[in-house]
Amino acid sequence: STYQKNGSTFLLEYGSGNVSGFAGKDEVTLGGLSVETLQFGQATMVESGLGFGYYEFKWDGILGFAWPGLAEISSTTWFVELMKENKDVEGKYGFLLPGVDGVNGALDLGWANPDHYTGEFHNISVNLKKWWTTEMDAFYSGGQVYATAQKYTIFDTGTSALVVPYQVQQKLFSDWGAYCMGRICGAKCDSTSIPDEIYFQFAGKNYTIPKADFLNPVVDGFCEVTIMSLGKDLPYPENQIWIMGDVFLRNVYAVFDITNAQVSLAAQKNTN
């Protein structure tokens, strides 16, 4: 076997629970592309939240695609190491989360697949090389501007919801008649106070998110609003973080470009 156990331990804190275990090294292959030796964690404890996700969906693990500055178990990431070991692999990857039924999702390693997008890309510069952090020009809804010049805006494929600062969420929900019970936020599905669309502007371009993507029917006319906050009493800059999770990303084809330190967005091509 090529596996090597090195004896070190780790503890990682996620929004849905902590994970701990020990580290080891081995060859890691994804989509036919391999990194010869990569240090990674092997979980022996998974708290509730992440634990429920595992038992429900039976995923194999978490493979981070952020920048090496965020790596904790290893000094690098799988994709950055792949770039070093395979000079023919471009320093970018495309992500397609379908916004319509019948379209397959995709992770395009080392390229932007023209079968998955149409039109031109719009480039958004990365300003903090840990997460894919950019600056958002504005967020508005129903003709009202709720925020401008937000420099801690993260594009994250591993977050299912939209995440906004607590004060923005409270103002938004007050206007919409929405409310939260613990981590679950919701409203009446037929509420006329909730607009049909919300809008984000990046590098001068507007992106539209339809109501169907952030208002999900649950039971008896009640809908979950998938716009969350990280919490009320957080220090700066954590209290100013926005996360463009799957609610946003299912409306675009996103290319995460390490070489040029940018996130590039284009319209999805809705064909398999």
Side-chain angles (χ1 to χ4, degrees):
S1 172
T2 57
Y3 173 75
Q4 306 171 50
K5 181 179 178 180
N6 69 7
S8 63
T9 60
F10 72 90
L11 171 64
L12 297 178
E13 298 179 359
Y14 294 97
S16 50
N18 295 344
V19 178
S20 63
F22 61 92
K25 293 182 179 181
D26 206 344
E27 181 178 8
V28 180
T29 301
L30 178 66
L33 298 171
S34 297
V35 170
E36 185 174 342
T37 304
L38 186 74
Q39 183 162 292
F40 57 90
Q42 296 158 265
T44 57
M45 187 283 295
V46 179
E47 287 186 351
S48 60
L50 278 174
F52 171 79
Y54 170 74
Y55 289 113
E56 181 73 14
F57 301 110
K58 300 299 182 184
W59 35 265
D60 296 315
I62 297 173
L63 181 62
F65 275 77
W67 294 77
L70 198 62
E72 295 191 39
I73 299 173
S74 175
S75 60
T76 187
T77 66
W78 177 83
F79 191 70
V80 169
E81 193 62 25
L82 178 73
M83 291 165 55
K84 293 178 181 177
E85 294 186 11
N86 300 269
K87 300 302 182 183
D88 57 337
V89 174
E90 289 188 57
K92 65 175 68 171
Y93 57 90
F95 180 77
L96 175 68
L97 181 66
V100 296
D101 292 337
V103 178
N104 294 327
L107 174 62
D108 300 318
L109 297 170
W111 67 317
N113 188 339
D115 290 338
H116 294 154
Y117 69 91
T118 183
E120 299 295 324
F121 279 103
H122 185 68
N123 302 322
I124 307 163
S125 297
V126 170
N127 60 23
L128 178 62
K129 295 179 181 179
K130 293 184 71 176
W131 300 273
W132 288 92
T133 309
T134 67
E135 180 168 339
M136 179 179 67
D137 298 342
F139 166 61
Y140 53 102
S141 167
Q144 181 174 346
V145 177
Y146 286 86
T148 59
Q150 299 297 301
K151 63 180 181 179
Y152 296 105
T153 304
I154 299 167
F155 287 89
D156 182 29
T157 62
T159 299
S160 58
L162 284 170
V163 177
V164 305
Y166 177 80
Q167 68 274 16
V168 174
Q169 185 200 45
Q170 293 303 295
K171 172 60 175 168
L172 194 69
F173 282 13
S174 175
D175 292 344
W176 289 1
Y179 53 93
C180 296
M181 297 177 291
R183 293 180 62 88
I184 304 299
C185 300
K188 292 182 178 179
C189 297
D190 60 358
S191 172
T192 58
S193 299
I194 301 176
D196 291 333
E197 298 169 331
I198 58 177
Y199 307 91
F200 295 90
Q201 185 181 97
F202 289 96
K205 182 176 175 62
N206 290 335
Y207 293 90
T208 302
I209 310 301
K211 181 192 292 188
D213 284 345
F214 61 84
L215 195 67
N216 300 325
V218 180
V219 65
D220 295 333
F222 175 83
C223 277
E224 181 183 8
V225 182
T226 52
I227 301 177
M228 304 173 60
S229 79
L230 294 180
K232 181 179 180 181
D233 300 314
L234 296 174
Y236 181 86
E238 285 85 355
N239 63 358
Q240 297 301 308
I241 286 177
W242 298 68
I243 302 178
M244 301 293 103
D246 296 344
V247 169
F248 180 94
L249 291 169
R250 69 168 58 101
N251 292 278
V252 296
Y253 178 70
V255 174
F256 297 83
D257 188 335
I258 291 175
T259 301
N260 297 301
Q262 63 188 17
V263 177
S264 301
L265 305 179
Q268 291 186 9
K269 182 182 290 185
N270 291 325
T271 58
N272 279 321

